[in-house]
Amino acid sequence: QDEGSQLVASLLNARPGETIADYCAGTGGKTLAIAAQMQNKGRLYSMDVDGDRLERGRPRCAKAGVDNVQRQTVQADMTRKDKWCKRRNRTFDRVLVDAPCSG
């Protein structure tokens, strides 16, 4: 999982200071790789439909010294228009959607 995550995240080419969405983030392998690209500067939203999975990524970020990640559980059925996502329409510099998952 982590090697595939690293490769997918490298394609994003995130930069310090950007606002990035890691959609389908899971436990945070891609999120950690993106945070490294961003040099821990900017906003990185780690998003998934499974809040428990997102929370399992919290200790990984802490261990790596990453503090620019915000976690957000989103709706699985986007046809109902997730309100959190809708309020952030066009606010991200880059979005990574690794669905179903590269791992």
Side-chain angles (χ1 to χ4, degrees), residues 38-84:
M38 297 174 72
Q39 300 170 8
N40 208 22
K41 297 176 184 163
R43 290 187 193 146
L44 176 52
Y45 292 92
S46 182
M47 301 157 39
D48 203 283
V49 296
D50 186 334
D52 291 336
R53 231 184 347 227
L54 284 173
E55 284 305 310
R56 288 196 301 271
R58 188 178 298 274
R60 296 177 76 187
C61 286
K63 183 176 181 181
V66 172
D67 60 10
N68 67 328
V69 174
Q70 296 179 21
R71 287 158 196 79
Q72 181 65 40
T73 304
V74 292
Q75 289 179 274
D77 182 3
M78 290 305 289
T79 61
R80 295 187 322 214
K81 299 287 184 183
D82 185 286
K83 289 180 184 179
W84 186 89

Side-chain angles (χ1 to χ4, degrees), residues 1-14 18-26 28-35 37-38 43-49 54 72 74 84-85 91-103:
Q1 171 67 36
D2 281 335
E3 183 180 4
S5 298
Q6 301 265 331
L7 292 171
V8 169
S10 71
L11 297 174
L12 189 64
N13 195 30
E18 289 185 325
T19 300
I20 307 290
D22 179 6
Y23 202 85
C24 307
K30 294 178 296 292
T31 300
L32 287 173
I34 295 166
Q37 289 176 0
M38 297 174 72
R43 290 187 193 146
L44 176 52
Y45 292 92
S46 182
M47 301 157 39
D48 203 283
V49 296
L54 284 173
Q72 181 65 40
V74 292
W84 186 89
C85 289
T91 62
F92 299 111
D93 295 301
R94 299 167 199 264
V95 177
L96 175 63
V97 180
D98 184 21
C101 185
S102 62

